Amino acid sequence: MPEEWALDVFDKAPYVTVSMIRPDGTPYGVPVNMVRKDDRTFYFHCADEGEKIDCIKYCPTVSLSAVSRCTPKFEEEKNNFTEYYNSAIAIGKAQTVKDREEKILALRLLCERFLPRYMMHFNEAIARSLDRTTIIRITLDEPAVGKRKGSQRHT
């Protein structure tokens, strides 16, 4: 699938799984609310300490995976059980955002994506919690790729 299609899957997925490597070498994957700024830049927020931060400090390379549609299906004409889906993956580098304006931009994008009708409260929330909120920027190292099985419909 074209890169634009894969990016659209990321935009529509309610969660994106970020897979990382723990300092002991074991894998760690966690679903997060994520937003895309452009074709190469994604953001999510988290606490300023914990396993995600430890993993990113150890190895900033991460893998993103998303599914925007997943529908179990019985194909009567084939007498076949299957699943229709839209999925995407990408590889990038994760970094903690230190710049105050970029943090605000990332939070604005997240809030506009997930809670747009409450944006009138955004500035108050930023004033109260910006300093204790960590923003992680993921910059893709290569184009996102997508895969689809099933109908042409994309949701």
Side-chain angles (χ1 to χ4, degrees), residues 3 8 20 35-37 50 78-79 99-100 103 140:
E3 179 184 16
D8 191 53
M20 303 168 255
V35 68
R36 180 170 66 93
K37 175 184 164 193
K78 297 178 185 177
N79 194 27
D99 178 75
R100 182 176 178 80
K103 284 178 71 171
L140 298 188

Side-chain angles (χ1 to χ4, degrees), residues 17 22 43 64 88 111 130 141 148 153:
T17 299
R22 290 181 174 124
Y43 294 108
L64 307 178
C111 290
L130 182 65
D141 292 336
R148 171 183 67 212
R153 197 176 113 242

Side-chain angles (χ1 to χ4, degrees), residues 112-130:
E112 285 173 347
R113 176 174 181 207
F114 292 102
L115 293 166
R117 66 183 222 201
Y118 297 99
M119 290 306 293
M120 72 284 274
H121 303 289
F122 180 78
N123 290 335
E124 179 186 334
I126 287 298
R128 189 177 56 252
S129 62
L130 182 65

Side-chain angles (χ1 to χ4, degrees), residues 5-151:
W5 189 91
L7 292 171
D8 191 53
V9 170
F10 281 111
D11 291 343
K12 291 179 178 176
Y15 301 96
V16 175
T17 299
V18 181
S19 297
M20 303 168 255
I21 300 172
R22 290 181 174 124
D24 69 2
T26 59
Y28 178 69
V30 62
V32 297
N33 295 119
M34 189 171 286
V35 68
R36 180 170 66 93
K37 175 184 164 193
D38 55 41
D39 290 355
R40 295 283 181 262
T41 310
F42 292 77
Y43 294 108
F44 70 91
H45 77 288
C46 60
D48 63 354
E49 60 183 34
E51 194 142 27
K52 289 185 285 293
I53 299 298
D54 294 343
C55 291
I56 290 167
K57 286 179 183 174
Y58 172 73
C59 179
T61 300
V62 298
S63 173
L64 307 178
S65 65
V67 177
S68 66
R69 180 175 68 99
C70 185
T71 307
K73 183 88 172 162
F74 180 73
E75 299 172 320
E76 291 189 34
E77 68 281 358
K78 297 178 185 177
N79 194 27
N80 186 45
F81 293 87
T82 192
E83 192 162 56
Y84 289 177
Y85 60 86
N86 296 330
S87 66
I89 60 170
I91 305 293
K93 295 280 189 296
Q95 182 177 17
T96 302
V97 174
K98 301 295 185 190
D99 178 75
R100 182 176 178 80
E101 294 307 311
E102 186 178 3
K103 284 178 71 171
I104 292 170
L105 170 66
L107 289 167
R108 182 178 304 282
L109 293 171
L110 281 160
C111 290
E112 285 173 347
R113 176 174 181 207
F114 292 102
L115 293 166
R117 66 183 222 201
Y118 297 99
M119 290 306 293
M120 72 284 274
H121 303 289
F122 180 78
N123 290 335
E124 179 186 334
I126 287 298
R128 189 177 56 252
S129 62
L130 182 65
D131 292 336
R132 65 176 189 260
T133 303
T134 298
I135 298 295
I136 303 297
R137 176 193 330 107
I138 298 172
T139 305
L140 298 188
D141 292 336
E142 54 194 60
V145 295
K147 189 173 180 181
R148 171 183 67 212
K149 179 177 181 187
S151 71

